[in-house]
Amino acid sequence: MNQLALLYRRDEECLGRDRTLLRQVYEELAALRPTWLTCESFELDDDRCLSVFLFDGDLGRSQEELLDLRSYCSSLPERCHGEPRVALMGRADVDRMAVTRVAFWNPYRGTWALPDDAVEVGPIPGPRAAG
């Protein structure tokens, strides 16, 4: 199954800022718990600047309801070499690349991992948000 992938090359001097903003995206996902969206972020093993953000869900809804995600995506050109590229890509395509997963949100398992966290968090306690 193909998912929407955002491919981009971050400026080296923006890596710290990008990681902070990416962390805010995943904190927002963990707080709001959207059941209609799954996300994963990856960095190429031999090039920390090259990233893949894999979405599976309602992208239009995510841009309306998830403010940190919308801000992260819209401000990418400020932190990147060239324009970010959107492509259809399956998880199997990503698995064939030499990448490290740096963050994810999985509503089906109720788990997530934030950038720079060594372990995944979850399952999420408490009631699930209506999706």
Side-chain angles (χ1 to χ4, degrees):
M1 169 182 259
N2 284 332
Q3 299 170 306
L4 191 61
L6 187 59
L7 308 159
Y8 51 99
R9 178 176 296 282
R10 297 168 296 175
D11 288 326
E12 199 161 323
E13 62 272 5
C14 294
L15 290 177
R17 179 170 177 252
D18 186 78
R19 187 58 67 93
T20 298
L21 295 172
L22 187 63
R23 185 179 181 93
Q24 290 172 350
V25 168
Y26 283 95
E27 286 174 347
E28 176 182 55
L29 291 167
L32 297 179
R33 305 175 190 171
T35 57
W36 42 267
L37 181 69
T38 299
C39 297
E40 294 181 271
S41 295
F42 304 88
E43 291 178 351
L44 253 61
D45 290 342
D46 60 350
D47 184 351
R48 289 181 7 152
C49 293
L50 191 58
S51 296
V52 178
F53 198 122
L54 198 60
F55 298 89
D56 187 9
D58 188 336
L59 189 58
R61 185 175 178 185
S62 71
Q63 292 295 300
E64 292 174 12
E65 296 182 21
L66 302 171
L67 301 179
D68 287 325
L69 178 59
R70 180 175 65 203
S71 177
Y72 181 82
C73 292
S74 67
S75 65
L76 266 176
E78 301 166 13
R79 299 185 307 279
C80 292
H81 290 291
E83 286 294 316
R85 193 170 55 101
V86 177
L88 288 178
M89 182 179 283
R91 176 57 198 260
D93 298 322
V94 174
D95 288 341
R96 285 191 288 272
M97 302 166 69
V99 296
T100 298
R101 184 168 69 166
V102 296
F104 69 90
W105 161 248
N106 185 325
Y108 305 108
R109 291 180 52 211
T111 58
W112 74 95
L114 301 173
D116 294 328
D117 281 356
V119 296
E120 94 181 30
V121 179
I124 301 170
R128 299 222 181 256

